[in-house]
């Protein structure tokens, strides 16, 4: 029961991410097979769309951009959190320079956080912040990292306070909700 709730929450987060990406066409699939698979999944024919992505991943050389795109979208459109996590991890290992690596790393951290793996999620968010200094997702990642580190208890207090100081410098003043979340954590330092 708990696993199905976690999967539902994660898939809802991924669906929200997909909807948010609709505006940025550079993040939409470019490969026609991936576009078709995505349309099938979003149109209610999930199994058919995922089979198409499975075939593309199997038939494409691992050193091609097409492979990385197919792997990313197979993870994004996966039916389970475990399948999504497997594909994101594989993308990070086999295609670390892919334009999708940034999103895969952030989503991997979200999946780990939803599963309750605070340590894994905080490690991946730290890696995200180090690897992608220009990412638009940095403010959200910073706030999530601070929260996760504080949740890990007193042994992570120094690291949490350091992350909080850094996040307060990086989160823009216009991001009022994120700044408020950081302000609520400040007394803990």
């Amino acid at each position: 029961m708990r696993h199905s709730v976690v999967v539902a929450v994660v898939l809802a987060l991924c669906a929200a991410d997909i909807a948010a990406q609709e505006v940025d066409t550079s993040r939409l699939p470019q490969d026609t097979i991936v576009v078709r698979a995505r349309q099938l999944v979003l149109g209610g024919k999930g199994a058919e769309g995922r089979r198409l992505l499975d075939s593309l991943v199997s038939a494409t050389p691992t050193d091609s951009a097409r492979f990385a795109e197919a792997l990313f979208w197979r993870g994004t459109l996966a039916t389970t959190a475990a399948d999504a996590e497997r594909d994101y991890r594989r993308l990070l290992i086999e295609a670390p320079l892919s334009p999708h690596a940034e999103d895969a790393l952030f989503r991997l951290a979200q999946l780990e956080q939803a599963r309750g793996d605070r340590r894994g999620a905080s490690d991946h968010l730290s890696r995200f912040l180090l690897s992608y200094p220009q990412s638009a997702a940095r403010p959200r990642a910073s706030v999530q990292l601070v929260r996760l580190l504080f949740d890990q208890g007193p042994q992570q207090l120094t690291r949490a306070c350091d992350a909080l100081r850094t996040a307060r410098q990086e989160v823009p003043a216009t991001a009022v909700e994120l700044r408020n979340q950081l302000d609520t954590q400040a007394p803990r330092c």
Side-chain angles (χ1 to χ4, degrees), residues 27 102 132 134-140:
R27 293 187 181 261
E102 176 182 336
Y132 304 105
Q134 304 302 317
S135 174
R138 281 184 70 82
R140 286 188 315 149

Side-chain angles (χ1 to χ4, degrees), residues 25-169:
T25 58
S26 68
R27 293 187 181 261
L28 290 176
Q30 304 299 312
D31 186 281
T32 56
I33 295 174
V34 176
V35 169
R36 178 70 182 133
R38 184 176 176 272
Q39 289 170 341
L40 286 168
V41 171
L42 295 177
K45 297 180 180 177
E48 191 176 332
R50 282 184 277 283
R51 271 194 305 274
L52 197 56
L53 289 170
D54 289 343
S55 296
L56 184 59
V57 168
S58 297
T60 307
T62 59
D63 61 350
S64 75
R66 188 177 199 196
F67 172 79
E69 184 174 13
L71 198 57
F72 174 78
W73 283 101
R74 187 173 76 172
T76 299
L77 300 172
T79 56
T80 67
D83 289 343
E85 185 174 339
R86 180 200 64 228
D87 286 337
Y88 294 147
R89 285 184 188 281
R90 187 171 172 195
L91 188 145
L92 292 169
I93 292 167
E94 296 182 38
L97 301 178
S98 162
H100 292 295
E102 176 182 336
D103 288 333
L105 184 57
F106 190 74
R107 290 176 183 200
L108 181 58
Q110 289 176 319
L111 288 168
E112 290 168 332
Q113 184 176 0
R115 189 177 66 230
D117 181 1
R118 293 183 184 122
R119 175 67 185 238
S122 60
D123 288 348
H124 281 106
L125 287 172
S126 294
R127 179 176 161 198
F128 177 88
L129 292 169
L130 288 172
S131 299
Y132 304 105
Q134 304 302 317
S135 174
R138 281 184 70 82
R140 286 188 315 149
S142 295
V143 171
Q144 285 180 359
L145 177 61
V146 168
R147 198 174 321 122
L148 283 167
L149 290 171
F150 277 122
D151 287 349
Q152 290 178 50
Q155 67 275 14
Q156 293 293 332
L157 183 61
T158 302
R159 193 170 162 213
C161 291
D162 289 343
L164 176 64
R165 278 189 290 282
T166 302
R168 290 178 111 179
Q169 294 170 359

